[in-house]
Amino acid sequence: MRAQSSAIQGSEIAVTTPGADGPAGHRSGTLQAALGVTAFSLTFPATAWGLEGFGPWSLVAVRSALAAVVAGGCLLALRVPVPARRHRAGLAVVAAGVVLGFPLLTTLALRTSTTAHAAVVVGLLPLTTALFSALRTGARPSRLFWGAALAGAAAVIAFTVQQSGGALTSADAYLFGALLICAAGYTEGGRLARVMPGWQVIGWALVLCLPLSLPGALVALSYEPARLSAHSVTGLLWVAVGSQFLGLVVWYRGMAAIGIPKASQLQLAQPLLTLVWSVLLLGERLTPAAPLTAAAVLVCIALTQRARG
């Protein structure tokens, strides 16, 4: 992985990634985005574990507070300057979408939904993120890109709906709300990752939420007493440090290197990875359709990565 060099110009941090426009930089960015997707694929199973000992509100508030403490400690230790005023609105969008909105809505959904059914959210997220990116940044992917993205999204949706028996549940409102707000946060975070290191984007977004998440955790725990167990603690630690911080660090770095639309299409593999973890960690059954869907999704990912914007 190539080191990033940053120069502070006035109040703005300008980031340059040597070779980011070449093959090596593209491979590095793709690898980082893929690592982010792998981390995210464990989020739903880890959340299910966390819900064994925490209420939904306390789980979300505590995970956000823990992640903010880790991120704030890193920012403080490295003496990272406060972001320029012009970037604070974007950080607020990242905080609302990625730090608070998506975790809360998906956690509420997972109270009554299986992880397989909830995976429909991440199946639609790449396409939604690409749409938000086109509106926000002016990106104009090719027809091949859009065709492959739509095909991949359709394959993932068909698979995940089939896994849940085709029935829509009351959790769907939470899931679709999470889809929209997370796509906005991903898009804004990917844009900001071009002018500051990706870990600082999510780090400042987490710190921005600390005045809400810390007292929120205390209040939620008073109404939803925790029942600590190996599963609940492991799930909490993963969603706080793995999904909420480390996964987003490499994800935003990857988006900055290869572009928001292409990085978002790597998430087409996330529902299938989530289903694999669900089998291994939660004991859910995987249908024979999984290998065929996986092959179709991988073809779509290959096409979107080759398509020129």
PDB file of all heavy atoms in Angstrom, residues 36-71:
ATOM      1  N   GLY A  36     -12.850  -3.359   2.966  1.00  0.00           N
ATOM      2  CA  GLY A  36     -13.980  -2.697   3.606  1.00  0.00           C
ATOM      3  C   GLY A  36     -15.256  -3.505   3.464  1.00  0.00           C
ATOM      4  O   GLY A  36     -16.019  -3.660   4.420  1.00  0.00           O
ATOM      5  N   VAL A  37     -15.497  -4.046   2.267  1.00  0.00           N
ATOM      6  CA  VAL A  37     -16.689  -4.861   2.029  1.00  0.00           C
ATOM      7  C   VAL A  37     -16.667  -6.104   2.912  1.00  0.00           C
ATOM      8  O   VAL A  37     -17.698  -6.511   3.472  1.00  0.00           O
ATOM      9  CB  VAL A  37     -16.780  -5.247   0.538  1.00  0.00           C
ATOM     10  CG1 VAL A  37     -17.849  -6.313   0.320  1.00  0.00           C
ATOM     11  CG2 VAL A  37     -17.089  -4.019  -0.310  1.00  0.00           C
ATOM     12  N   THR A  38     -15.492  -6.717   3.049  1.00  0.00           N
ATOM     13  CA  THR A  38     -15.377  -7.898   3.911  1.00  0.00           C
ATOM     14  C   THR A  38     -15.727  -7.556   5.353  1.00  0.00           C
ATOM     15  O   THR A  38     -16.440  -8.308   6.034  1.00  0.00           O
ATOM     16  CB  THR A  38     -13.958  -8.476   3.846  1.00  0.00           C
ATOM     17  OG1 THR A  38     -13.634  -8.795   2.489  1.00  0.00           O
ATOM     18  CG2 THR A  38     -13.846  -9.736   4.694  1.00  0.00           C
ATOM     19  N   ALA A  39     -15.229  -6.412   5.828  1.00  0.00           N
ATOM     20  CA  ALA A  39     -15.551  -5.976   7.194  1.00  0.00           C
ATOM     21  C   ALA A  39     -17.044  -5.720   7.336  1.00  0.00           C
ATOM     22  O   ALA A  39     -17.672  -6.126   8.326  1.00  0.00           O
ATOM     23  CB  ALA A  39     -14.748  -4.724   7.552  1.00  0.00           C
ATOM     24  N   PHE A  40     -17.637  -5.067   6.337  1.00  0.00           N
ATOM     25  CA  PHE A  40     -19.072  -4.759   6.397  1.00  0.00           C
ATOM     26  C   PHE A  40     -19.923  -6.026   6.351  1.00  0.00           C
ATOM     27  O   PHE A  40     -21.025  -6.067   6.916  1.00  0.00           O
ATOM     28  CB  PHE A  40     -19.479  -3.848   5.239  1.00  0.00           C
ATOM     29  CG  PHE A  40     -18.754  -2.529   5.216  1.00  0.00           C
ATOM     30  CD1 PHE A  40     -18.579  -1.843   4.023  1.00  0.00           C
ATOM     31  CD2 PHE A  40     -18.257  -1.968   6.378  1.00  0.00           C
ATOM     32  CE1 PHE A  40     -17.927  -0.626   3.993  1.00  0.00           C
ATOM     33  CE2 PHE A  40     -17.595  -0.750   6.359  1.00  0.00           C
ATOM     34  CZ  PHE A  40     -17.427  -0.079   5.162  1.00  0.00           C
ATOM     35  N   SER A  41     -19.430  -7.069   5.654  1.00  0.00           N
ATOM     36  CA  SER A  41     -20.227  -8.290   5.516  1.00  0.00           C
ATOM     37  C   SER A  41     -20.449  -8.982   6.855  1.00  0.00           C
ATOM     38  O   SER A  41     -21.378  -9.783   6.999  1.00  0.00           O
ATOM     39  CB  SER A  41     -19.548  -9.258   4.539  1.00  0.00           C
ATOM     40  OG  SER A  41     -18.360  -9.813   5.097  1.00  0.00           O
ATOM     41  N   LEU A  42     -19.611  -8.678   7.832  1.00  0.00           N
ATOM     42  CA  LEU A  42     -19.766  -9.260   9.163  1.00  0.00           C
ATOM     43  C   LEU A  42     -20.679  -8.432  10.060  1.00  0.00           C
ATOM     44  O   LEU A  42     -20.986  -8.851  11.183  1.00  0.00           O
ATOM     45  CB  LEU A  42     -18.391  -9.389   9.830  1.00  0.00           C
ATOM     46  CG  LEU A  42     -17.545 -10.589   9.405  1.00  0.00           C
ATOM     47  CD1 LEU A  42     -16.081 -10.342   9.742  1.00  0.00           C
ATOM     48  CD2 LEU A  42     -18.044 -11.855  10.076  1.00  0.00           C
ATOM     49  N   THR A  43     -21.119  -7.278   9.577  1.00  0.00           N
ATOM     50  CA  THR A  43     -21.876  -6.366  10.440  1.00  0.00           C
ATOM     51  C   THR A  43     -23.202  -6.951  10.891  1.00  0.00           C
ATOM     52  O   THR A  43     -23.550  -6.903  12.080  1.00  0.00           O
ATOM     53  CB  THR A  43     -22.114  -5.031   9.704  1.00  0.00           C
ATOM     54  OG1 THR A  43     -20.850  -4.442   9.377  1.00  0.00           O
ATOM     55  CG2 THR A  43     -22.898  -4.070  10.592  1.00  0.00           C
ATOM     56  N   PHE A  44     -23.987  -7.517   9.972  1.00  0.00           N
ATOM     57  CA  PHE A  44     -25.296  -8.045  10.342  1.00  0.00           C
ATOM     58  C   PHE A  44     -25.179  -9.232  11.298  1.00  0.00           C
ATOM     59  O   PHE A  44     -25.901  -9.283  12.306  1.00  0.00           O
ATOM     60  CB  PHE A  44     -26.102  -8.414   9.106  1.00  0.00           C
ATOM     61  CG  PHE A  44     -26.643  -7.217   8.359  1.00  0.00           C
ATOM     62  CD1 PHE A  44     -27.216  -7.371   7.101  1.00  0.00           C
ATOM     63  CD2 PHE A  44     -26.585  -5.942   8.895  1.00  0.00           C
ATOM     64  CE1 PHE A  44     -27.729  -6.276   6.405  1.00  0.00           C
ATOM     65  CE2 PHE A  44     -27.080  -4.847   8.218  1.00  0.00           C
ATOM     66  CZ  PHE A  44     -27.650  -5.007   6.972  1.00  0.00           C
ATOM     67  N   PRO A  45     -24.321 -10.228  11.025  1.00  0.00           N
ATOM     68  CA  PRO A  45     -24.164 -11.307  12.012  1.00  0.00           C
ATOM     69  C   PRO A  45     -23.662 -10.797  13.364  1.00  0.00           C
ATOM     70  O   PRO A  45     -24.128 -11.259  14.411  1.00  0.00           O
ATOM     71  CB  PRO A  45     -23.130 -12.235  11.359  1.00  0.00           C
ATOM     72  CG  PRO A  45     -23.286 -11.999   9.896  1.00  0.00           C
ATOM     73  CD  PRO A  45     -23.584 -10.533   9.773  1.00  0.00           C
ATOM     74  N   ALA A  46     -22.722  -9.840  13.345  1.00  0.00           N
ATOM     75  CA  ALA A  46     -22.231  -9.290  14.609  1.00  0.00           C
ATOM     76  C   ALA A  46     -23.329  -8.527  15.339  1.00  0.00           C
ATOM     77  O   ALA A  46     -23.429  -8.578  16.577  1.00  0.00           O
ATOM     78  CB  ALA A  46     -21.032  -8.380  14.353  1.00  0.00           C
ATOM     79  N   THR A  47     -24.174  -7.826  14.580  1.00  0.00           N
ATOM     80  CA  THR A  47     -25.305  -7.122  15.202  1.00  0.00           C
ATOM     81  C   THR A  47     -26.274  -8.114  15.834  1.00  0.00           C
ATOM     82  O   THR A  47     -26.794  -7.877  16.936  1.00  0.00           O
ATOM     83  CB  THR A  47     -26.036  -6.271  14.157  1.00  0.00           C
ATOM     84  OG1 THR A  47     -25.129  -5.297  13.622  1.00  0.00           O
ATOM     85  CG2 THR A  47     -27.222  -5.543  14.774  1.00  0.00           C
ATOM     86  N   ALA A  48     -26.518  -9.230  15.139  1.00  0.00           N
ATOM     87  CA  ALA A  48     -27.397 -10.260  15.705  1.00  0.00           C
ATOM     88  C   ALA A  48     -26.821 -10.791  17.012  1.00  0.00           C
ATOM     89  O   ALA A  48     -27.563 -11.034  17.979  1.00  0.00           O
ATOM     90  CB  ALA A  48     -27.583 -11.401  14.698  1.00  0.00           C
ATOM     91  N   TRP A  49     -25.506 -10.979  17.057  1.00  0.00           N
ATOM     92  CA  TRP A  49     -24.867 -11.386  18.310  1.00  0.00           C
ATOM     93  C   TRP A  49     -25.045 -10.306  19.378  1.00  0.00           C
ATOM     94  O   TRP A  49     -25.364 -10.599  20.520  1.00  0.00           O
ATOM     95  CB  TRP A  49     -23.377 -11.645  18.072  1.00  0.00           C
ATOM     96  CG  TRP A  49     -23.073 -13.037  17.630  1.00  0.00           C
ATOM     97  CD1 TRP A  49     -23.980 -14.010  17.275  1.00  0.00           C
ATOM     98  CD2 TRP A  49     -21.781 -13.616  17.499  1.00  0.00           C
ATOM     99  NE1 TRP A  49     -23.322 -15.154  16.916  1.00  0.00           N
ATOM    100  CE2 TRP A  49     -21.978 -14.960  17.047  1.00  0.00           C
ATOM    101  CE3 TRP A  49     -20.482 -13.161  17.690  1.00  0.00           C
ATOM    102  CZ2 TRP A  49     -20.906 -15.828  16.812  1.00  0.00           C
ATOM    103  CZ3 TRP A  49     -19.415 -14.012  17.454  1.00  0.00           C
ATOM    104  CH2 TRP A  49     -19.625 -15.337  17.019  1.00  0.00           C
ATOM    105  N   GLY A  50     -24.810  -9.047  18.991  1.00  0.00           N
ATOM    106  CA  GLY A  50     -24.926  -7.962  19.955  1.00  0.00           C
ATOM    107  C   GLY A  50     -26.319  -7.847  20.539  1.00  0.00           C
ATOM    108  O   GLY A  50     -26.484  -7.548  21.729  1.00  0.00           O
ATOM    109  N   LEU A  51     -27.340  -8.114  19.719  1.00  0.00           N
ATOM    110  CA  LEU A  51     -28.720  -8.026  20.188  1.00  0.00           C
ATOM    111  C   LEU A  51     -29.076  -9.124  21.184  1.00  0.00           C
ATOM    112  O   LEU A  51     -30.127  -9.052  21.828  1.00  0.00           O
ATOM    113  CB  LEU A  51     -29.677  -8.078  18.996  1.00  0.00           C
ATOM    114  CG  LEU A  51     -29.744  -6.808  18.136  1.00  0.00           C
ATOM    115  CD1 LEU A  51     -30.569  -7.053  16.875  1.00  0.00           C
ATOM    116  CD2 LEU A  51     -30.319  -5.643  18.936  1.00  0.00           C
ATOM    117  N   GLU A  52     -28.212 -10.128  21.327  1.00  0.00           N
ATOM    118  CA  GLU A  52     -28.445 -11.151  22.341  1.00  0.00           C
ATOM    119  C   GLU A  52     -28.280 -10.589  23.753  1.00  0.00           C
ATOM    120  O   GLU A  52     -28.839 -11.141  24.709  1.00  0.00           O
ATOM    121  CB  GLU A  52     -27.492 -12.327  22.144  1.00  0.00           C
ATOM    122  CG  GLU A  52     -27.729 -13.122  20.865  1.00  0.00           C
ATOM    123  CD  GLU A  52     -26.745 -14.274  20.707  1.00  0.00           C
ATOM    124  OE1 GLU A  52     -26.033 -14.578  21.705  1.00  0.00           O
ATOM    125  OE2 GLU A  52     -26.680 -14.862  19.613  1.00  0.00           O
ATOM    126  N   GLY A  53     -27.504  -9.495  23.895  1.00  0.00           N
ATOM    127  CA  GLY A  53     -27.264  -8.946  25.217  1.00  0.00           C
ATOM    128  C   GLY A  53     -27.576  -7.473  25.368  1.00  0.00           C
ATOM    129  O   GLY A  53     -27.563  -6.949  26.483  1.00  0.00           O
ATOM    130  N   PHE A  54     -27.835  -6.781  24.233  1.00  0.00           N
ATOM    131  CA  PHE A  54     -28.111  -5.348  24.269  1.00  0.00           C
ATOM    132  C   PHE A  54     -29.430  -5.059  23.561  1.00  0.00           C
ATOM    133  O   PHE A  54     -29.802  -5.746  22.610  1.00  0.00           O
ATOM    134  CB  PHE A  54     -26.998  -4.546  23.583  1.00  0.00           C
ATOM    135  CG  PHE A  54     -25.670  -4.609  24.272  1.00  0.00           C
ATOM    136  CD1 PHE A  54     -24.755  -5.605  23.973  1.00  0.00           C
ATOM    137  CD2 PHE A  54     -25.320  -3.650  25.219  1.00  0.00           C
ATOM    138  CE1 PHE A  54     -23.519  -5.668  24.603  1.00  0.00           C
ATOM    139  CE2 PHE A  54     -24.098  -3.690  25.856  1.00  0.00           C
ATOM    140  CZ  PHE A  54     -23.191  -4.711  25.555  1.00  0.00           C
ATOM    141  N   GLY A  55     -30.123  -4.013  24.000  1.00  0.00           N
ATOM    142  CA  GLY A  55     -31.275  -3.524  23.272  1.00  0.00           C
ATOM    143  C   GLY A  55     -30.810  -2.794  22.024  1.00  0.00           C
ATOM    144  O   GLY A  55     -29.646  -2.402  21.921  1.00  0.00           O
ATOM    145  N   PRO A  56     -31.683  -2.595  21.042  1.00  0.00           N
ATOM    146  CA  PRO A  56     -31.263  -1.960  19.783  1.00  0.00           C
ATOM    147  C   PRO A  56     -30.724  -0.545  19.965  1.00  0.00           C
ATOM    148  O   PRO A  56     -29.728  -0.171  19.331  1.00  0.00           O
ATOM    149  CB  PRO A  56     -32.540  -1.977  18.942  1.00  0.00           C
ATOM    150  CG  PRO A  56     -33.661  -2.107  19.921  1.00  0.00           C
ATOM    151  CD  PRO A  56     -33.115  -2.945  21.039  1.00  0.00           C
ATOM    152  N   TRP A  57     -31.358   0.246  20.821  1.00  0.00           N
ATOM    153  CA  TRP A  57     -30.903   1.620  21.004  1.00  0.00           C
ATOM    154  C   TRP A  57     -29.576   1.671  21.744  1.00  0.00           C
ATOM    155  O   TRP A  57     -28.684   2.458  21.393  1.00  0.00           O
ATOM    156  CB  TRP A  57     -31.969   2.429  21.751  1.00  0.00           C
ATOM    157  CG  TRP A  57     -33.220   2.614  20.970  1.00  0.00           C
ATOM    158  CD1 TRP A  57     -34.318   1.786  20.964  1.00  0.00           C
ATOM    159  CD2 TRP A  57     -33.508   3.663  20.046  1.00  0.00           C
ATOM    160  NE1 TRP A  57     -35.263   2.268  20.097  1.00  0.00           N
ATOM    161  CE2 TRP A  57     -34.801   3.414  19.519  1.00  0.00           C
ATOM    162  CE3 TRP A  57     -32.802   4.790  19.618  1.00  0.00           C
ATOM    163  CZ2 TRP A  57     -35.400   4.259  18.589  1.00  0.00           C
ATOM    164  CZ3 TRP A  57     -33.402   5.627  18.687  1.00  0.00           C
ATOM    165  CH2 TRP A  57     -34.673   5.358  18.183  1.00  0.00           C
ATOM    166  N   SER A  58     -29.425   0.843  22.772  1.00  0.00           N
ATOM    167  CA  SER A  58     -28.173   0.850  23.513  1.00  0.00           C
ATOM    168  C   SER A  58     -27.029   0.286  22.670  1.00  0.00           C
ATOM    169  O   SER A  58     -25.895   0.775  22.734  1.00  0.00           O
ATOM    170  CB  SER A  58     -28.310   0.061  24.820  1.00  0.00           C
ATOM    171  OG  SER A  58     -28.725  -1.271  24.569  1.00  0.00           O
ATOM    172  N   LEU A  59     -27.304  -0.721  21.847  1.00  0.00           N
ATOM    173  CA  LEU A  59     -26.261  -1.291  21.000  1.00  0.00           C
ATOM    174  C   LEU A  59     -25.722  -0.250  20.034  1.00  0.00           C
ATOM    175  O   LEU A  59     -24.499  -0.104  19.867  1.00  0.00           O
ATOM    176  CB  LEU A  59     -26.804  -2.489  20.226  1.00  0.00           C
ATOM    177  CG  LEU A  59     -25.825  -3.186  19.266  1.00  0.00           C
ATOM    178  CD1 LEU A  59     -24.631  -3.744  20.022  1.00  0.00           C
ATOM    179  CD2 LEU A  59     -26.534  -4.296  18.489  1.00  0.00           C
ATOM    180  N   VAL A  60     -26.619   0.506  19.396  1.00  0.00           N
ATOM    181  CA  VAL A  60     -26.190   1.523  18.433  1.00  0.00           C
ATOM    182  C   VAL A  60     -25.433   2.658  19.133  1.00  0.00           C
ATOM    183  O   VAL A  60     -24.383   3.107  18.664  1.00  0.00           O
ATOM    184  CB  VAL A  60     -27.401   2.076  17.664  1.00  0.00           C
ATOM    185  CG1 VAL A  60     -26.990   3.270  16.798  1.00  0.00           C
ATOM    186  CG2 VAL A  60     -28.011   0.995  16.793  1.00  0.00           C
ATOM    187  N   ALA A  61     -25.953   3.124  20.276  1.00  0.00           N
ATOM    188  CA  ALA A  61     -25.311   4.235  20.965  1.00  0.00           C
ATOM    189  C   ALA A  61     -23.946   3.845  21.520  1.00  0.00           C
ATOM    190  O   ALA A  61     -22.969   4.604  21.401  1.00  0.00           O
ATOM    191  CB  ALA A  61     -26.208   4.734  22.097  1.00  0.00           C
ATOM    192  N   VAL A  62     -23.851   2.652  22.113  1.00  0.00           N
ATOM    193  CA  VAL A  62     -22.576   2.213  22.684  1.00  0.00           C
ATOM    194  C   VAL A  62     -21.553   1.964  21.584  1.00  0.00           C
ATOM    195  O   VAL A  62     -20.378   2.327  21.729  1.00  0.00           O
ATOM    196  CB  VAL A  62     -22.777   0.949  23.540  1.00  0.00           C
ATOM    197  CG1 VAL A  62     -21.430   0.373  23.980  1.00  0.00           C
ATOM    198  CG2 VAL A  62     -23.616   1.272  24.774  1.00  0.00           C
ATOM    199  N   ARG A  63     -21.952   1.357  20.474  1.00  0.00           N
ATOM    200  CA  ARG A  63     -21.000   1.116  19.389  1.00  0.00           C
ATOM    201  C   ARG A  63     -20.460   2.422  18.829  1.00  0.00           C
ATOM    202  O   ARG A  63     -19.271   2.543  18.554  1.00  0.00           O
ATOM    203  CB  ARG A  63     -21.634   0.275  18.274  1.00  0.00           C
ATOM    204  CG  ARG A  63     -22.640   0.996  17.413  1.00  0.00           C
ATOM    205  CD  ARG A  63     -23.239   0.132  16.316  1.00  0.00           C
ATOM    206  NE  ARG A  63     -22.443   0.172  15.097  1.00  0.00           N
ATOM    207  CZ  ARG A  63     -22.794  -0.399  13.949  1.00  0.00           C
ATOM    208  NH1 ARG A  63     -23.917  -1.099  13.882  1.00  0.00           N
ATOM    209  NH2 ARG A  63     -22.022  -0.305  12.883  1.00  0.00           N
ATOM    210  N   SER A  64     -21.334   3.423  18.682  1.00  0.00           N
ATOM    211  CA  SER A  64     -20.899   4.718  18.172  1.00  0.00           C
ATOM    212  C   SER A  64     -19.956   5.406  19.152  1.00  0.00           C
ATOM    213  O   SER A  64     -18.938   5.982  18.750  1.00  0.00           O
ATOM    214  CB  SER A  64     -22.111   5.604  17.893  1.00  0.00           C
ATOM    215  OG  SER A  64     -21.711   6.878  17.436  1.00  0.00           O
ATOM    216  N   ALA A  65     -20.265   5.340  20.457  1.00  0.00           N
ATOM    217  CA  ALA A  65     -19.415   5.975  21.462  1.00  0.00           C
ATOM    218  C   ALA A  65     -18.051   5.302  21.531  1.00  0.00           C
ATOM    219  O   ALA A  65     -17.015   5.984  21.596  1.00  0.00           O
ATOM    220  CB  ALA A  65     -20.102   5.933  22.825  1.00  0.00           C
ATOM    221  N   LEU A  66     -18.021   3.962  21.508  1.00  0.00           N
ATOM    222  CA  LEU A  66     -16.743   3.252  21.544  1.00  0.00           C
ATOM    223  C   LEU A  66     -15.891   3.579  20.315  1.00  0.00           C
ATOM    224  O   LEU A  66     -14.682   3.816  20.425  1.00  0.00           O
ATOM    225  CB  LEU A  66     -16.983   1.743  21.632  1.00  0.00           C
ATOM    226  CG  LEU A  66     -17.452   1.186  22.971  1.00  0.00           C
ATOM    227  CD1 LEU A  66     -17.705  -0.317  22.858  1.00  0.00           C
ATOM    228  CD2 LEU A  66     -16.418   1.467  24.053  1.00  0.00           C
ATOM    229  N   ALA A  67     -16.518   3.559  19.145  1.00  0.00           N
ATOM    230  CA  ALA A  67     -15.790   3.872  17.925  1.00  0.00           C
ATOM    231  C   ALA A  67     -15.260   5.300  17.953  1.00  0.00           C
ATOM    232  O   ALA A  67     -14.148   5.574  17.487  1.00  0.00           O
ATOM    233  CB  ALA A  67     -16.692   3.661  16.703  1.00  0.00           C
ATOM    234  N   ALA A  68     -16.051   6.229  18.509  1.00  0.00           N
ATOM    235  CA  ALA A  68     -15.615   7.625  18.596  1.00  0.00           C
ATOM    236  C   ALA A  68     -14.427   7.783  19.531  1.00  0.00           C
ATOM    237  O   ALA A  68     -13.520   8.585  19.270  1.00  0.00           O
ATOM    238  CB  ALA A  68     -16.771   8.500  19.070  1.00  0.00           C
ATOM    239  N   VAL A  69     -14.408   7.025  20.615  1.00  0.00           N
ATOM    240  CA  VAL A  69     -13.270   7.087  21.541  1.00  0.00           C
ATOM    241  C   VAL A  69     -12.000   6.594  20.856  1.00  0.00           C
ATOM    242  O   VAL A  69     -10.926   7.203  20.980  1.00  0.00           O
ATOM    243  CB  VAL A  69     -13.562   6.251  22.804  1.00  0.00           C
ATOM    244  CG1 VAL A  69     -12.296   6.078  23.642  1.00  0.00           C
ATOM    245  CG2 VAL A  69     -14.653   6.909  23.635  1.00  0.00           C
ATOM    246  N   VAL A  70     -12.097   5.483  20.101  1.00  0.00           N
ATOM    247  CA  VAL A  70     -10.941   4.964  19.364  1.00  0.00           C
ATOM    248  C   VAL A  70     -10.474   5.967  18.314  1.00  0.00           C
ATOM    249  O   VAL A  70      -9.286   6.282  18.208  1.00  0.00           O
ATOM    250  CB  VAL A  70     -11.284   3.612  18.706  1.00  0.00           C
ATOM    251  CG1 VAL A  70     -10.130   3.152  17.809  1.00  0.00           C
ATOM    252  CG2 VAL A  70     -11.576   2.559  19.772  1.00  0.00           C
ATOM    253  N   ALA A  71     -11.425   6.477  17.539  1.00  0.00           N
ATOM    254  CA  ALA A  71     -11.075   7.434  16.486  1.00  0.00           C
ATOM    255  C   ALA A  71     -10.521   8.721  17.070  1.00  0.00           C
ATOM    256  O   ALA A  71      -9.510   9.259  16.585  1.00  0.00           O
ATOM    257  CB  ALA A  71     -12.306   7.737  15.636  1.00  0.00           C
TER     258      ALA A  71
END
